[in-house]
Amino acid sequence: MTVAPAIILVSPQLGENIGAAARVMANFALSDLRLVAPRDGWPNPAAEAMAAKTLSGPVEARVFDTVDAAVADLSYLLAATARPRGFDKPAMGPRQAMGALRARAEAGAAAGVLFGAEAMGLLNEDVARADAILTYPVSPDWSSLNLAQAVALAAYEWGLGEGEAPHAGFDRLSPPASKAEIAELAEHFETELEASGFFWPPEKAQSMRLSVRAAVGRWALTAQDVSTLRGMIKALARGTRRKPKT
Amino acid sequence: MTVAPAIILVSPQLGENIGAAARVMANFALSDLRLVAPRDGWPNPAAEAMAAKTLSGPVEARVFDTVDAAVADLSYLLAATARPRGFDKPAMGPRQAMGALRARAEAGAAAGVLFGAEAMGLLNEDVARADAILTYPVSPDWSSLNLAQAVALAAYEWGLGEGEAPHAGFDRLSPPASKAEIAELAEHFETELEASGFFWPPEKAQSMRLSVRAAVGRWALTAQDVSTLRGMIKALARGTRRKPKT
């Protein structure tokens, strides 16, 4: 069974946009709304007003403190952004992106789409953790899309694709790693690379860290890959100090 | 030259929806907004606020007293409605409808889309004057679409049909690694993992080697990934013996 994707709003500012997002989610049979640190707290009367009863109906909104917590159970993640970030990630329009997401969902992977705050969009570190970028074919002269409208276009494309023929080819043998496993792997990499002096010189350390995270997030790792890689890191970090047991 | 269609809002109630419609029109290079008897008059501060400057920019809003006056110069008209009205008119989803509209526009016909008021939609007499019906593939359980969202989906489909706008700046994926680079990476992994005692116990060493190679071969690494990974291996293999240069 295909599980519909989660819509994750990171630090949304206006309750109106949260409510409008919930309403259009219901229009296209999406129900999993996740709010990371909404500015005005939760519940929010302005959101309720715009949601036209969907927040007490088909849409379940849950609040999280961090993006990490909000995506922990997902294994395929899109980040909606208008600005290229220099990450080496595939960028797709809504139609293609929802197709990719559906293919994963049909293979049993829980999936979601990250949307940033109204004023500034997603942080680089949030984009870095995604598998791919969702971008909108907006006019270059007027590219700033309202948050709820961005959710609407994704929801619409999700809805359109429902009922279409399944996309074959994503039925991996080993299930994809969850975002929590990926985050732990990136953490492990970072800790050991830090100890090894990899992040050098200091003025480049931050961007090196980000590019390690972006790379780890892009490799479509399986749960088995993560466990293999963590064993490899552990072994390498002990370096030649460790002798094989005899 | 194709003339973009007019968006005609009949008796819109909320300035917020008018403004949001204008903003999303600008996102998809539509500029002709027509308002028939807006409830709160015109101009409308709530509309200005939601329009994010588009009403004094690319979108021109004009006010008309009647639908007749608003559509007088058009020769192909769609009516957006969720409810069948028993008229003998073709009904199309947004994609097909925008395609039909484009075909007319390319043949030189000025075209437009009628949207009704928030609470009750279009009157039967407004639907009756249209050439075809635009309807949305919404969930039967939750079919009431916000006015500005309805405009957004039509604008998006119009924009898509205008030819995929290039996603500027996103086409810089670094080229995939060559098979030789992948082989060298696997070799490098293997050598250092060997030295670290990773391939243990001996009776499993061969299959562990194979699974490392299989994993490395599967990650769709770019040339940049390979070089990053090799740097990481080198750093880790030196382990904590290496101190950062100071």
Side-chain angles (χ1 to χ4, degrees):
Chain A
M1 190 201 116
T2 311
V3 176
I7 299 294
I8 306 134
L9 308 184
V10 182
S11 310
Q13 300 175 290
L14 298 173
E16 287 82 352
N17 283 332
I18 302 172
R23 178 169 172 183
V24 79
M25 285 174 65
N27 290 142
F28 296 104
L30 296 177
S31 59
D32 185 353
L33 176 60
R34 306 181 183 193
L35 307 172
V36 179
R39 185 189 68 185
D40 298 338
W42 194 257
N44 177 326
E48 300 286 346
M50 279 297 284
K53 300 195 172 66
T54 52
L55 285 170
S56 49
V59 175
E60 187 197 11
R62 285 179 291 161
V63 177
F64 297 85
D65 290 334
T66 63
V67 175
D68 266 335
V71 304
D73 62 316
L74 305 179
S75 55
Y76 184 72
L77 191 62
L78 293 170
T81 175
R83 288 175 291 133
R85 312 287 182 116
F87 297 129
D88 225 0
K89 292 183 192 293
M92 298 179 271
R95 190 159 307 167
Q96 195 193 351
M98 291 303 112
L101 199 146
R102 175 168 304 102
R104 266 59 169 209
E106 280 166 358
V113 189
L114 280 177
F115 292 89
E118 287 88 341
M120 53 184 281
L122 289 170
L123 298 175
N124 278 342
E125 62 227 57
D126 296 328
V127 177
R129 78 179 83 215
D131 295 278
I133 286 173
L134 163 60
T135 187
Y136 292 84
V138 286
S139 160
D141 299 331
W142 219 276
S143 60
S144 166
L145 191 61
N146 166 268
L147 172 57
Q149 302 287 40
V151 171
L153 300 181
Y156 164 71
E157 287 287 0
W158 171 264
L160 268 192
E162 280 292 81
E164 279 180 5
H167 303 238
F170 283 100
D171 40 0
R172 292 174 167 284
L173 293 178
S174 159
S178 70
K179 291 302 163 196
E181 287 168 322
I182 298 283
E184 282 161 25
L185 171 64
E187 196 68 34
H188 191 170
F189 256 126
E190 218 172 297
T191 306
E192 292 298 351
L193 288 169
E194 182 68 61
S196 76
F198 179 75
F199 296 118
W200 184 267
E203 64 272 22
K204 287 200 179 162
Q206 188 51 27
S207 76
M208 290 174 79
R209 271 195 193 86
L210 258 180
S211 63
V212 167
R213 287 194 172 255
V216 170
R218 193 180 57 235
W219 294 336
L221 301 172
T222 64
Q224 181 54 48
D225 285 337
V226 167
S227 124
T228 303
L229 270 170
R230 295 197 62 178
M232 288 161 68
I233 297 170
K234 212 180 283 177
L236 288 173
R238 276 179 297 202
T240 51
R241 290 174 302 160
R242 181 184 170 208
K243 293 281 169 281
K245 292 167 241 165
T246 47
Chain B
M1 190 200 120
T2 313
V3 177
I7 299 295
I8 306 134
L9 308 185
V10 182
S11 310
Q13 301 175 290
L14 298 173
E16 288 81 352
N17 283 333
I18 301 172
R23 179 170 172 181
V24 79
M25 285 174 65
N27 291 142
F28 296 104
L30 296 176
S31 59
D32 185 353
L33 176 60
R34 307 181 183 192
L35 308 173
V36 179
R39 184 191 66 185
D40 298 338
W42 196 255
N44 177 325
E48 299 284 347
M50 279 298 284
K53 301 194 172 63
T54 51
L55 285 170
S56 48
V59 175
E60 188 197 10
R62 285 179 292 162
V63 177
F64 297 85
D65 290 335
T66 63
V67 176
D68 266 336
V71 304
D73 62 318
L74 305 179
S75 55
Y76 184 72
L77 191 62
L78 293 170
T81 175
R83 288 175 291 134
R85 312 284 183 119
F87 298 126
D88 205 11
K89 292 180 193 292
M92 299 178 270
R95 190 160 307 169
Q96 196 193 350
M98 291 301 113
L101 200 147
R102 176 169 302 99
R104 266 57 168 209
E106 280 166 357
V113 189
L114 280 178
F115 293 88
E118 286 89 342
M120 53 185 278
L122 289 170
L123 298 174
N124 278 343
E125 64 226 54
D126 296 328
V127 177
R129 78 178 83 214
D131 295 278
I133 286 173
L134 163 61
T135 188
Y136 292 84
V138 287
S139 162
D141 299 331
W142 218 276
S143 61
S144 165
L145 191 61
N146 166 268
L147 172 58
Q149 303 286 39
V151 172
L153 300 181
Y156 163 73
E157 287 289 1
W158 171 264
L160 269 192
E162 285 291 88
E164 288 272 347
H167 304 301
F170 278 111
D171 43 2
R172 281 183 305 180
L173 287 190
S174 114
S178 70
K179 292 304 163 200
E181 287 168 321
I182 297 283
E184 282 161 25
L185 171 64
E187 195 66 36
H188 190 170
F189 256 128
E190 218 172 298
T191 307
E192 293 296 353
L193 288 169
E194 183 68 62
S196 76
F198 180 75
F199 297 118
W200 186 265
E203 64 273 20
K204 287 201 180 161
Q206 189 50 29
S207 77
M208 289 174 80
R209 269 193 196 86
L210 258 180
S211 64
V212 167
R213 286 193 172 258
V216 170
R218 194 180 56 234
W219 293 337
L221 301 172
T222 64
Q224 180 56 47
D225 285 337
V226 168
S227 124
T228 303
L229 270 170
R230 295 198 63 179
M232 287 160 72
I233 298 170
K234 210 179 287 180
L236 289 173
R238 276 180 296 202
T240 50
R241 290 175 303 158
R242 180 184 171 207
K243 295 279 169 280
K245 293 168 246 164
T246 47

